[in-house]
Amino acid sequence: MYACIDLGSNSFHLLIANWHDGRHDIVERFSDKVQLGEGLADGGRLTDDAFARGLRCLHTFRHALDRYPIQHCWAVGTNALRIASNADEFLKAASQLGINIDIVSGLEEAALVYAGVTSALPESPEPRLIIDIGGGSTELVIGQDDTRLQSHSMPIGCISWRDRWFAEQPADANELEKRLDLALQSAEQVFAQVTQALAANPWSDVYASSGTAKMLAGVCAQRMGGSSPNSVNLPLLKSFKPDILQVACDPTYVLPGLKNGRRELVLPGWAVLCGFMQATGVQSLRFSPSALREGMLHYMVKAAISGDSPLHELRAN
């Protein structure tokens, strides 16, 4: 039995799975919107509130882990713990709970995302582009089956973009729309830095994982008359710009497909995903329910076979 703990800048996740006969069966999934990266861009450190929320979540995870006969456990920290000046203090507090955290680089995070997304896809001779919009960074990978052709980790995410552009929301609706347009233009400029490199490996399909993609795919699904989040179309995404502005201005407004817990992230999430699609010319993409956690499981299984650590397996790949 394996346990994967993903400590993201927006959410913490715990995945518990059994592995047998070359496949995994999910036993439990736990998620908590900790927002560890909240305010990080301003002070360069985890705020007291974010630090406390993170530890409370790890206490909950610890109780969950104790209910199962876990043989292999791996905890991974991403962007917030990469850049926070007081990350060592958080790691020390976590270790006192028996949770030892490995901090992975942006490119290592991209490798985990790629392994996770492709684990749920059929083999294909065509290259694929995979994007994972996190709370503090966005990972991009072009790969062909098990081979990553190129990887990028961009300094943009739904929490960092919220704190940068929407920390103080203008009272005037027109001013808010101008702010959203600037957030979109800035996001497009970030992704434009790698469009020339990405073009060197033409891709056939695009997959997006994690919360922002799920949120916006859910809204797209409702617009198309469906229920399950499975794809995002750029023209459709841009068409509900007035709706997300109304979500921000009117707390009673209901946008079908948008969960209440994601309302505050719909403006920055929309800006980041639209910026990526406009910069790269992507007109449509598919949502992948598999993400970094499943990638962690992939490397944990390899490590169990080799007798090495999953971090060493990741870095040797």
Side-chain angles (χ1 to χ4, degrees), residues 243-258:
D243 297 276
I244 66 169
L245 287 167
Q246 190 169 350
V247 165
C249 294
D250 181 0
T252 66
Y253 179 69
V254 176
L255 176 59
L258 178 65

Side-chain angles (χ1 to χ4, degrees), residues 63-197:
H63 290 311
L65 290 169
D66 290 342
R67 296 200 299 268
Y68 293 97
I70 306 293
Q71 282 89 37
H72 308 277
C73 182
W74 189 25
V76 163
T78 57
N79 187 72
L81 292 174
R82 280 198 292 269
I83 65 176
S85 61
N86 58 339
D88 285 347
E89 298 172 28
F90 188 84
L91 267 59
K92 182 178 180 180
S95 69
Q96 293 172 352
L97 296 174
I99 298 175
N100 297 310
I101 302 169
D102 287 331
I103 308 300
V104 294
S105 70
L107 295 183
E108 289 165 351
E109 183 178 353
L112 290 171
V113 168
Y114 184 78
V117 172
T118 56
S119 70
L121 298 177
E123 292 186 1
S124 170
E126 300 296 328
R128 294 158 166 155
L129 170 60
I130 290 170
I131 174 173
D132 185 285
I133 299 173
S137 66
T138 294
E139 279 62 50
L140 302 170
V141 186
I142 297 178
Q144 189 170 4
D145 286 334
D146 294 335
T147 303
R148 297 186 307 278
L149 303 175
Q150 56 175 295
S151 304
H152 306 273
S153 182
M154 313 301 294
I156 181 173
C158 61
I159 296 295
S160 59
W161 232 234
R162 182 202 62 186
D163 291 352
R164 177 174 174 179
W165 294 103
F166 307 103
E168 295 181 2
Q169 182 173 307
D172 181 77
N174 290 329
E175 286 300 316
L176 180 61
E177 184 173 7
K178 291 179 182 177
R179 184 80 59 86
L180 180 59
D181 289 341
L182 287 172
L184 169 57
Q185 292 168 17
S186 185
E188 187 172 357
Q189 290 169 5
V190 171
F191 291 113
Q193 298 173 27
V194 295
T195 52
Q196 186 174 358

Side-chain angles (χ1 to χ4, degrees), residues 5 7 12 36 46-48 50-62 75 81 86-101 103:
I5 302 175
L7 309 180
F12 283 10
L36 191 68
L46 304 177
T47 67
D48 291 344
F51 197 109
R53 289 195 301 268
L55 285 186
R56 282 198 299 272
C57 180
L58 291 185
H59 273 283
T60 302
F61 283 3
R62 179 71 268 170
L81 292 174
N86 58 339
D88 285 347
E89 298 172 28
F90 188 84
L91 267 59
K92 182 178 180 180
S95 69
Q96 293 172 352
L97 296 174
I99 298 175
N100 297 310
I101 302 169
I103 308 300

Side-chain angles (χ1 to χ4, degrees), residues 14 24 45 48-50 73 90 104 108 111 133 170 172 190 196 201-202 204 217 227 237 241 250 256 272 278 311:
L14 170 60
H24 67 264
R45 56 188 283 116
D48 291 344
D49 287 345
C73 182
F90 188 84
V104 294
E108 289 165 351
I133 299 173
D172 181 77
V190 171
Q196 186 174 358
N201 296 111
S204 58
S227 58
L237 188 63
K241 176 184 174 184
D250 181 0
V272 174
Q278 290 187 175
L311 185 62

Side-chain angles (χ1 to χ4, degrees), residues 261-315:
R262 304 290 300 190
R263 289 178 71 94
E264 64 172 319
L265 297 177
V266 69
L267 290 180
W270 183 90
V272 174
L273 187 56
C274 279
F276 160 74
M277 297 180 81
Q278 290 187 175
T280 56
V282 170
Q283 291 299 301
S284 65
L285 53 80
R286 303 176 192 177
F287 169 66
S288 168
S290 294
L292 186 142
R293 272 86 61 198
E294 287 79 8
M296 291 175 65
L297 182 59
H298 168 81
Y299 284 100
M300 291 177 74
V301 171
K302 290 182 67 175
I305 294 171
S306 69
D308 206 343
S309 73
L311 185 62
H312 286 164
E313 285 289 342
L314 174 64
R315 291 177 173 171

